Amino acid sequence: MPESNVSARRFSVGLTGGIGSGKTTVADMLHARGAAVIDTDLLAHQLTAPDGLAIPEIRAQFGEAFLTADGAMDRTKMREYVFAEPTAKARLEAILHPLIRIETERAAAQARGTYLVFVVPLLVESGSWRQRVSRVLVVDCAEQTQVRRVMSRSGLSEQQVRAIMAAQVSRQQRLAAADDVIDNDGDAVALVPQVDRLHASYVSLAAKCN
Ligand code: ADP
């Protein structure tokens, strides 16, 4: 049996949430408790780094102008372009999404945790992910909290952060897709009992899967 089929049977959590909701923070906490974390954003970054697997096709479809001097995808330029041009966004996604799925399965086949956590920012937006995971975990907070956190992390303006949020599904749509929810409107300490409780339940569900 191919390795990817073996990993497909392992208990897995799809961790999602809006920008700045706290996905990375929660993923780090689950990792510290023994989960294997696969961050699809990180894989996408690797694919578009110099010599990344997506670079030849990006060069062919978008041209050298969308690459930096060192041969990576020019992220800023591409972001601006696809924001203004929905067909370009679809073209870029058609290059990246299949490669991300391949790399995700490769990472999953090699992962050695108690269970798998896939961090997928656009899990609810891209329907097929929901079938891939055993549970959907949404990290949730008020929109105002998202804006405040992203502004202080990135230096983006409120308008820029809200434009990114507007391109994502609404908080209500995301919550409707959730099997489990972490409320991240409080401080970091408030996360601990929630993460502990969920981790314990995932460990026991994973044990039943094996
Ligand atoms: P995401 O991965 O969803 O974009 P992050 O986990 O990177 O979100 O969190 C966004 C920012 O907010 C980070 O700078 C992080 O350290 C901070 N942050 C996340 N959760 C909390 C919290 N409960 N209290 C204070 N700061 C937080």
Side-chain angles (χ1 to χ4, degrees):
M1 188 184 289
E3 271 192 311
S4 60
N5 284 349
V6 174
S7 73
R9 287 206 317 255
R10 287 183 70 187
F11 180 79
S12 64
V13 177
L15 192 166
T16 193
I19 184 170
S21 59
K23 294 181 293 297
T24 311
T25 306
V26 170
D28 288 348
M29 292 172 77
L30 291 172
H31 178 67
R33 286 158 177 76
V37 172
I38 296 160
D39 185 332
T40 58
D41 253 3
L42 209 64
L43 295 176
H45 262 77
Q46 289 165 1
L47 289 169
T48 56
D51 298 324
L53 288 176
I55 294 297
E57 199 52 32
I58 290 170
R59 178 183 284 115
Q61 288 206 30
F62 293 89
E64 290 295 333
F66 284 88
L67 302 182
T68 59
D70 63 357
M73 182 177 80
D74 188 329
R75 227 163 273 288
T76 313
K77 196 163 177 181
M78 188 63 92
R79 194 181 304 119
E80 283 164 9
Y81 186 54
V82 300
F83 235 90
E85 190 60 67
T87 59
K89 183 167 187 262
R91 270 161 60 216
L92 181 65
E93 286 176 351
I95 298 171
L96 289 179
H97 286 182
L99 289 172
I100 291 171
R101 290 305 285 261
I102 291 167
E103 292 303 303
T104 301
E105 295 304 336
R106 196 199 305 273
Q110 291 168 357
R112 293 279 167 269
T114 329
Y115 57 92
L116 300 173
V117 175
F118 297 108
V119 184
V120 189
L122 301 182
L123 183 144
V124 178
E125 288 84 340
S126 63
S128 64
W129 263 107
R130 288 162 74 172
Q131 277 84 60
R132 170 64 182 85
V133 295
S134 319
R135 307 280 295 179
V136 173
L137 168 58
V138 169
V139 183
D140 178 62
C141 66
E143 289 181 358
Q144 199 47 50
T145 310
Q146 282 179 267
V147 172
R148 182 170 39 77
R149 287 191 185 140
V150 177
M151 283 176 71
S152 69
R153 175 181 68 181
S154 63
L156 294 174
S157 69
E158 169 152 8
Q159 199 188 8
Q160 286 170 311
V161 179
R162 289 208 180 266
I164 295 168
M165 287 165 60
Q168 303 185 336
V169 290
S170 69
R171 188 179 179 191
Q172 285 69 27
Q173 286 170 298
R174 209 177 277 113
L175 286 172
D179 296 303
D180 305 302
V181 178
I182 285 189
D183 169 7
N184 191 24
D185 254 319
D187 59 16
V189 175
L191 282 177
V192 175
Q194 299 185 74
V195 171
D196 281 341
R197 185 181 54 76
L198 271 178
H199 176 68
S201 102
Y202 292 154
V203 168
S204 103
L205 287 169
K208 286 184 198 141
C209 266
N210 296 332

